[in-house]
Amino acid sequence: MSEGATATDAIAASPSLPAGETTMGELARRLRTNSEYFAIPLFALFVAAALFSLFLLTLGRSPVDFVSYVWRGGFGTAFSLQNTLQRSAPLILTALAVAIPARIGLIMIGGEGALVLGGFAAAAVATPLVGVLPPLPTLAVMFVVGTSVGAAWVGLAGYLRYARGVNETIASLLLTYVGVAIMNFFVEGALRDISNPNKPSTKPLGEAYMVGKIPGTEVHWGFAVGIALAILLHLLMTRTTFGFAARITGGNFRAALAQGLPVGKIILACTMIAGACAGIAGFYEVAAIQGRANASLAAGYGFTGILVSFLARHNPLAIVPVAILFGGLVASGGLIQRRMELPDATVLVLQGLIFIVLLTSETLYGRFAFFRDDKSGRRQ
Amino acid sequence: MNGALAIVLIAMLGGAIRVSTPFMFVALGECLTEKTGRVNLGQEGTLVLGAMVGYAVSYRSGSPWAGVLAAGAAGSVLGAMHGAICRLPRVNDVAVGIAMMLFGVGVAFFFGKPYIQPTAPRLGSIPFGAFSDDANLRSALDVNPLFFVGIAVALVMAWAFANTRWGLVARTVGDSAAAARAMGISVDWVRFLATAGGGFLAGIGGAFLSLSYPGSWNQGLSSGQGLMAVALVIFARWSPLRCVLAALLFGGAGAIGPALQSIGVTQGYYFFNAAPYILTLVIMIATSSATRSARDMPGELSTVK
């Protein structure tokens, strides 16, 4: 497989790898065996791109145009790149909301609900505070409330999984629908801003109460927070006793129980961390982008985040580049829609296609001799 | 007050019949799939795609029944994709289901955009209430033929699972793949067919949504009904007949909101919007247990409890 070779070269060329005490031969062997996790998703992306090109060709559209619009709308100019980074912030955070429970073997897809409800809660708590408290404490309260509500929402699905054995995938998605309904209940009712007749929304925060941009850019702080959380959670899952216990729970639930690990607490902690991440995404969508809570919060970031996490193999560090890639795709959606006269669901079709091909590619792991560990003769 | 209560009850009866039909089809389809030991969470996408295809074909051909068949065909294509992908080793059927859900919804929205505006011919209904002078009762008893098709499918499925060779094969595959292989049955093939068949039924459920009740195509048409139906199968303990009962119960509960609205109770509209999801969660909590697997669960179904 040629992709395998290029992937290995790419990793070998990067200078940041720790040489440690391993010899060059040992290093090359480890690079080769680990590059499987890089090469196969990349291969899946290529196959999905080829299938999507076929799809566009049968509709009489040019795949080359599509790629050039994604480039222009997502990455080509300073403006579009900053727009992309801005949109990748909620994708990083909602992908983390999938990745952390995935490490303990739970497929949670409730990120969208936690984002919407967290964002709504942040906007709701701000309503009486705006004009009373100064901006910074107000934002702090909003952050804490949004994060806690998100954590509680996904944590609830985690609790039901552990305490009652309720299927966490279905429960978390049901909770997403409930979350959106709760927001609509208040936004179109008690908390509706009557001065805004067009779209039911909460009262606007106002410019002074919004989160600022990262200095020198047009990107809000949610992006930096997302990257920081990705690094922190990576360290938590790989370098701490808690992460070790979580990985044992994910690897073998009964072994974890037999070892006396606090499995219930681990499940609750991981799902609450997940929900907190999505809640933070909701906070930034309200406090940095929308300025109020309304139906635009349910823009589908939580669902794209599922794909991002799977493509990154639930690795928090890998989530960041993958989220930026998909942020660009989401950001260029409008341009593609206008210039190619394609429906806005085009991006959804592409995402679904990538997801399906990616999951199909799972079957390829361990099938290529190139990636095998020569010493043991098995997959490492 | 008595009159109002009667109106609410009649509206709930009519709602139970109307609202339950798509739940019934999806739940029966998922029941068929899960009986063979595989879970297809993509039924939500199948339902939405079925609704779109059914509506589009009915609009183009002028025949709503052609739309129903086309919706079933589209659903079985999605089911076949799920079945074919999950045949491969090391592939997780729950995750593939999520992907199929996103893909099905995406494809439906992509091709469905031109059909949001036009009006397609809808499925006719059978006026069982013709004897009555009461307009409410008459509209409640206007029953779509698909409702009876669904009940017939459930009866045939229940009979076939218990009494036919095919039913035995399906149950064996679902209870113990090893035993089925020892009998010389191709486990993957049976599951593939069951998933494609389950997709066919879910697609028809979608056609009911767009061609009968609510009877139009838009992007918020399903909003999770396919997913709730999958959860209902657990509640129905993998029995086709109990799937019908669960769907009826669910339809009645889902009709409370509109029924109350019909007598002028508008408070809590959004609460009643959320009620079906909360009810599904409550049902799942009530029927699940942390320590034992669900009663009557096919042995190979370890992932959904």
Side-chain angles (χ1 to χ4, degrees):
Chain A
M1 234 172 70
S2 61
E3 284 80 11
T6 49
T8 318
D9 295 345
I11 293 183
S14 91
S16 61
L17 281 157
E21 299 158 6
T22 54
T23 63
M24 285 309 286
E26 172 72 5
L27 183 67
R29 187 189 61 80
R30 274 172 53 180
L31 278 177
R32 197 179 63 231
T33 50
N34 282 321
S35 65
E36 187 177 26
Y37 298 110
F38 185 77
I40 290 180
L42 202 66
F43 174 67
L45 269 181
F46 276 117
V47 172
L51 287 174
F52 187 69
S53 301
L54 270 178
F55 175 76
L56 286 177
L57 284 173
T58 53
L59 293 167
R61 304 295 206 288
S62 153
V64 179
D65 281 358
F66 185 85
V67 173
S68 76
Y69 284 129
V70 169
W71 176 255
R72 271 170 58 190
F75 304 96
T77 64
F79 171 79
S80 60
L81 187 62
Q82 300 199 351
N83 186 13
T84 291
L85 295 182
Q86 188 129 290
R87 285 171 193 263
S88 61
L91 292 181
I92 294 173
L93 290 163
T94 52
L96 288 173
V98 177
I100 302 303
R103 287 295 179 89
I104 49 169
L106 299 181
I107 305 183
M108 308 285 279
I109 52 178
E112 180 87 355
L115 184 157
V116 167
L117 213 56
F120 162 71
V125 76
T127 307
L129 297 181
V130 168
V132 178
L133 276 184
L136 216 55
T138 307
L139 284 171
V141 172
M142 286 172 68
F143 183 88
V144 170
V145 169
T147 309
S148 329
V149 168
W153 208 237
V154 180
L156 177 60
Y159 171 77
L160 291 177
R161 166 82 227 191
Y162 176 69
R164 293 290 316 171
V166 173
N167 177 274
E168 79 282 359
T169 312
I170 299 177
S172 59
L173 191 51
L174 284 173
L175 283 171
T176 291
Y177 289 107
V178 177
V180 174
I182 291 177
M183 181 193 67
N184 284 335
F185 174 75
F186 285 107
V187 164
E188 303 195 14
L191 292 176
R192 180 168 182 172
D193 177 17
I194 308 152
S195 61
N196 181 357
N198 300 320
K199 189 171 189 178
S201 306
T202 56
K203 284 207 179 67
L205 294 175
E207 199 60 40
Y209 283 80
M210 301 272 287
V211 172
K213 313 284 186 194
I214 301 172
T217 70
E218 286 297 309
V219 184
H220 67 70
W221 279 101
F223 181 67
V225 169
I227 292 179
L229 269 175
I231 295 169
L232 270 178
L233 289 176
H234 172 74
L235 293 177
L236 177 74
M237 297 314 273
T238 55
R239 296 281 187 276
T240 64
T241 323
F242 172 81
F244 185 59
R247 280 182 290 145
I248 291 178
T249 309
N252 188 333
F253 189 80
R254 286 186 188 186
L257 272 180
Q259 285 293 320
L261 289 175
V263 171
K265 281 182 190 154
I266 290 171
I267 290 178
L268 205 58
C270 284
T271 50
M272 284 179 72
I273 290 171
C277 289
I280 292 172
F283 162 76
Y284 278 106
E285 284 307 291
V286 164
I289 307 269
Q290 311 272 358
R292 53 176 71 84
N294 57 35
S296 310
L297 274 180
Y301 284 122
F303 296 116
T304 306
I306 303 170
L307 172 56
V308 169
S309 181
F310 270 88
L311 200 52
R313 296 191 63 80
H314 309 309
N315 177 337
L317 294 183
I319 278 175
V320 175
V322 178
I324 293 174
L325 182 72
F326 278 83
L329 191 65
V330 174
S332 56
L335 189 70
I336 290 162
Q337 198 184 336
R338 284 193 306 277
R339 297 290 175 83
M340 293 184 77
E341 293 180 348
L342 286 167
D344 50 355
T346 312
V347 175
L348 282 183
V349 174
L350 176 58
Q351 287 181 2
L353 213 50
I354 293 174
F355 207 166
I356 291 173
V357 175
L358 176 77
L359 293 172
T360 309
S361 76
E362 293 276 318
T363 194
L364 296 176
Y365 286 92
R367 290 211 184 174
F368 299 100
F370 176 82
F371 298 119
R372 283 210 196 115
D373 188 339
D374 291 331
K375 274 187 186 163
S376 64
R378 295 183 295 119
R379 264 183 88 246
Q380 56 80 241
Chain B
M1 195 57 220
N2 251 341
L5 188 65
I7 291 174
V8 168
L9 286 178
I10 288 169
M12 276 181 68
L13 169 73
I17 292 170
R18 273 196 295 269
V19 177
S20 64
T21 309
F23 284 117
M24 200 187 325
F25 275 96
V26 179
L28 287 172
E30 186 66 14
C31 179
L32 176 64
T33 307
E34 290 190 8
K35 267 288 200 215
T36 65
R38 187 167 281 159
V39 181
N40 181 6
L41 275 188
Q43 295 286 46
E44 171 72 14
T46 314
L47 189 74
V48 176
L49 187 67
M52 192 286 289
V53 169
Y55 199 75
V57 169
S58 169
Y59 175 70
R60 294 262 165 171
S61 70
S63 159
W65 287 102
V68 171
L69 279 184
S76 50
V77 169
L78 281 190
M81 276 173 73
H82 186 282
I85 292 170
C86 293
R87 285 176 76 147
L88 301 166
R90 303 169 61 88
V91 173
N92 178 334
D93 56 352
V94 173
V96 173
I98 300 170
M100 296 297 303
M101 177 165 21
L102 298 178
F103 180 71
V105 170
V107 170
F109 288 2
F110 184 92
F111 290 107
K113 196 142 199 208
Y115 299 103
I116 294 177
Q117 286 296 334
T119 311
R122 291 169 50 175
L123 289 168
S125 52
I126 309 170
F128 282 97
F131 64 90
S132 167
D133 297 330
D134 187 318
N136 289 315
L137 192 62
R138 275 215 303 277
S139 80
L141 288 181
D142 260 356
V143 182
N144 190 293
L146 276 180
F147 177 73
F148 299 106
V149 174
I151 291 178
V153 168
L155 289 170
V156 169
M157 263 173 70
W159 174 80
F161 276 140
N163 297 307
T164 65
R165 188 187 152 73
W166 285 33
L168 181 66
V169 166
R171 284 189 293 134
T172 310
V173 168
D175 276 330
S176 166
R181 281 196 197 96
M183 284 166 65
I185 300 168
S186 165
V187 171
D188 286 334
W189 187 237
V190 171
R191 289 182 177 163
F192 171 80
L193 288 178
T195 318
F200 185 86
L201 289 175
I204 290 181
F208 179 90
L209 282 179
S210 62
L211 292 175
S212 177
Y213 181 81
S216 66
W217 157 247
N218 63 65
Q219 300 199 343
L221 188 60
S222 158
S223 54
Q225 293 186 39
L227 184 79
M228 287 186 265
V230 172
L232 279 190
V233 179
I234 306 167
F235 175 56
R237 303 208 310 270
W238 296 273
S239 145
L241 296 179
R242 280 195 294 257
C243 280
V244 172
L245 291 180
L248 277 172
L249 176 79
F250 219 71
I256 294 178
L260 286 177
Q261 269 193 319
S262 69
I263 58 162
V265 180
T266 52
Q267 276 172 339
Y269 170 75
Y270 287 98
F271 171 74
F272 286 112
N273 254 359
Y277 310 111
I278 296 171
L279 180 67
T280 313
L281 265 177
V282 169
I283 283 176
M284 285 178 73
I285 294 166
T287 48
S288 305
S289 159
T291 46
R292 55 178 173 77
S293 30
R295 268 172 71 195
D296 304 329
M297 183 174 81
E300 292 280 314
L301 266 194
S302 50
T303 44
V304 160
K305 280 210 285 189

